[in-house]
Amino acid sequence: QVQLVESGGGSVQAGGSLRLSCAASGFTFSRFCMGWFRQAPGKEREAVAVIARNGWTNYEDSVEGRFTLSQDKVQKALYLQMNNLKPEDTAMYYCAAGVGGTCSLRARFGVWGQGTQVTVSS
């Protein structure tokens, strides 16, 4: 069974840090473009960061320099280290696996986790 399970969300004050984790199972993790997305109330879901099979990463402009995406192919895990968090980072964060042939913030993702909530207070 293909599955992605996120964890690590929580409530922090502005300037704080959180590390999100995503555990993958049921598919060959290392062969896929993987990404983190977020959706705030009343807003569309947006791509935050992606990592290609070769380790190349790309970040949405507002998180560049504050967020770091990494993966452990042996453990089949994806991580998002979030530093200097801002209230506008408040959202439900989702881990996803790409299903197309390319890897970018605009790539097609077809396998999703259930999400983990991040709340940043000012």
Side-chain angles (χ1 to χ4, degrees), residues 46-102:
E46 65 174 352
V48 174
V50 298
I51 184 165
R53 292 178 295 176
N54 64 0
W56 171 84
T57 56
N58 195 22
Y59 298 90
E60 193 268 330
D61 288 346
S62 70
V63 308
E64 181 82 54
R66 299 188 297 121
F67 291 10
T68 302
L69 175 58
S70 62
Q71 63 181 353
D72 185 329
K73 294 183 178 181
V74 174
Q75 297 296 325
K76 298 181 68 174
L78 190 71
Y79 305 102
L80 186 67
Q81 177 66 44
M82 306 185 296
N83 298 327
N84 190 22
L85 283 161
K86 303 176 180 181
E88 51 264 42
D89 295 318
T90 295
M92 184 71 80
Y93 283 71
Y94 299 90
C95 169
V99 295
T102 61

